[in-house]
Amino acid sequence: MEYDFYKNNDGDTIFWVDNVDNIGEFLFSFDKKKIYNLFADYPHNLTEEERRIFDKENPYWRDFFKDRQ
């Protein structure tokens, strides 16, 4: 499967995956190889460094999932 990757901001590290086939699915990647599902993988399947980057670039989602911390 081929994915279209984009960044919310030019300086971001995280690539979001444009996945029009699945509404409501939020996918992201740090390297365009390993793809995470926001609702299934955050925060427990991210490394400590990946989580730090994700939280910095996505304060909305960090706060949304604060009960998972």
Side-chain angles (χ1 to χ4, degrees):
M1 178 178 261
E2 250 185 71
Y3 294 103
D4 291 323
F5 295 92
Y6 67 93
K7 291 186 177 186
N8 285 336
N9 302 296
D10 289 337
D12 284 354
T13 300
I14 294 172
F15 294 93
W16 289 93
V17 180
D18 194 5
N19 190 9
V20 295
D21 293 334
N22 293 323
I23 295 172
E25 185 175 67
F26 293 90
L27 305 178
F28 63 96
S29 179
F30 292 90
D31 58 8
K32 295 185 180 181
K33 294 175 184 163
K34 182 174 184 179
I35 296 175
Y36 293 102
N37 180 313
L38 176 62
F39 287 96
D41 295 321
Y42 179 85
H44 55 276
N45 286 335
L46 278 65
T47 67
E48 200 172 305
E49 178 68 7
E50 288 171 338
R51 183 172 171 195
R52 185 189 63 73
I53 292 167
F54 185 92
D55 288 351
K56 180 182 175 195
E57 292 183 9
N58 299 282
Y60 171 82
W61 289 116
R62 178 197 63 220
D63 293 344
F64 183 86
F65 291 118
K66 66 183 170 204
D67 63 325
R68 292 187 182 186
Q69 308 301 323

